[in-house]
Amino acid sequence: MVARTSTWAGSPEALDKWAEHVQTRVSGFVSGLPGNAGGTFLIDRAAGRALTLTLWESEEAAAETDKFADQSRASTIEATGVELVERGAYEVVAQL
């Protein structure tokens, strides 16, 4: 299993828009992609940051959806005003 992350930064207003955008558009889109094994979207309002963590059944599934991830990130920036700070990919070694 592979986890893909995106770290975001923004004003309180941008983070509010980010949360709404995630709930109404991104989460449903991501969950429908082949090989998706779940995801979590987190906000640290005090720090002005947010985190997207999506899980993929395999490295191949994650790689095959990379273009969709790039499109989703661009649409999120445009719709909310948040800044993409960092992208990451991790091997999942344990899950509860």
Side-chain angles (χ1 to χ4, degrees):
M1 186 175 289
V2 173
R4 185 167 47 213
T5 62
S6 298
T7 305
W8 309 90
S11 67
E13 295 80 14
L15 290 175
D16 286 342
K17 288 180 184 177
W18 180 87
E20 181 180 345
H21 185 72
V22 162
Q23 292 168 0
T24 61
R25 304 198 112 197
V26 177
S27 61
F29 172 72
V30 171
S31 69
L33 292 174
N36 179 263
T40 303
F41 301 86
L42 309 163
I43 293 181
D44 179 344
R45 292 186 189 278
R49 295 174 68 94
L51 176 71
T52 302
L53 182 138
T54 55
L55 298 171
W56 303 93
E57 294 172 354
S58 66
E59 286 184 38
E60 294 78 20
E64 288 174 13
T65 61
D66 275 345
K67 67 178 175 235
F68 298 115
D70 290 338
Q71 292 169 356
S72 180
R73 289 180 186 112
S75 132
T76 296
I77 291 165
E78 184 177 327
T80 68
V82 294
E83 174 190 356
L84 178 61
V85 177
E86 183 176 50
R87 297 167 45 168
Y90 300 86
E91 175 187 357
V92 177
V93 296
Q95 186 178 7
L96 300 176

